[in-house]
Amino acid sequence: MKRIGVYPGTFDPITKGHLDIIRRASRVVDHLVILIAPSTKKKPLFSLEKRIELAEIELKSLNISGEAQGFDGLLVEHMRTIGANVILRGLRAISDYEYELQIASMNRCLAPEIETIFLMASEGSHFISSSLVKEIASFKGDVGHLVSDNVEKELKACFAA
Ligand code: ADP
């Protein structure tokens, strides 16, 4: 059976922390779908279309069997429609744990056939978050070690002026 995994999130924008999880997730599943939520409540900097485009570019450059899709709705229902059976999430600090445990338990309650797999953040990227990246970029700080060249270029364009 082909194992299709989803990596859901906001990805505003995709960082090297996300890329580390994507690279490692690709060893666990045969095909990885990055599912990007509009997350309008979080008032994202990048449009959903742009976030999808940026994720697609990263997948291509990592040479991973995968795709990026926008999605709005119940995660497990969407997974059933695309035949996915594994949710991948990254865990950084203890602060991620409580929220992730709640969501994973709820998803198991809704869809017992779907498994959530957590990958611990790597030593070199556990401190990276999209929100910090945006904050640094807004002050014209260097984010070259936190995001890909392409994302860095997009951030510069957003905060030019
Ligand atoms: P969300 O809005 O769901 O938190 P994010 O795009 O911020 O979306 O994160 C998506 C997933 O990636 C989450 O599981 C998050 O814990 C994980 N993640 C984000 N940054 C890192 C990182 N630096 N290292 C490992 N996992 C990360």
Side-chain angles (χ1 to χ4, degrees), residues 3-54:
R3 206 173 273 284
I4 301 177
V6 300
Y7 181 26
T10 305
F11 302 97
D12 183 44
I14 194 161
T15 67
K16 285 193 177 172
H18 293 128
L19 297 187
D20 172 60
I21 297 295
I22 291 168
R23 210 178 289 114
R24 291 161 53 204
S26 73
R27 300 202 289 250
V28 178
V29 296
D30 303 306
H31 188 77
L32 185 66
V33 183
I34 301 178
L35 280 183
I36 309 189
S39 300
T40 39
K41 272 196 216 146
K42 289 191 179 177
K43 295 201 169 52
L45 175 66
F46 292 102
S47 69
L48 179 62
E49 293 68 32
K50 178 54 86 178
R51 285 180 276 146
I52 295 171
E53 181 194 316
L54 294 176

Side-chain angles (χ1 to χ4, degrees), residues 10-13 15 18 42 45 92 127-139 143 146 155 159:
T10 305
F11 302 97
D12 183 44
T15 67
H18 293 128
K42 289 191 179 177
L45 175 66
R92 285 163 294 185
F127 57 93
I128 306 175
S129 70
S130 297
S131 47
L132 267 182
V133 163
K134 284 180 283 188
E135 197 169 335
I136 296 166
S138 75
F139 293 121
V143 292
L146 308 173
L155 282 163
F159 294 112

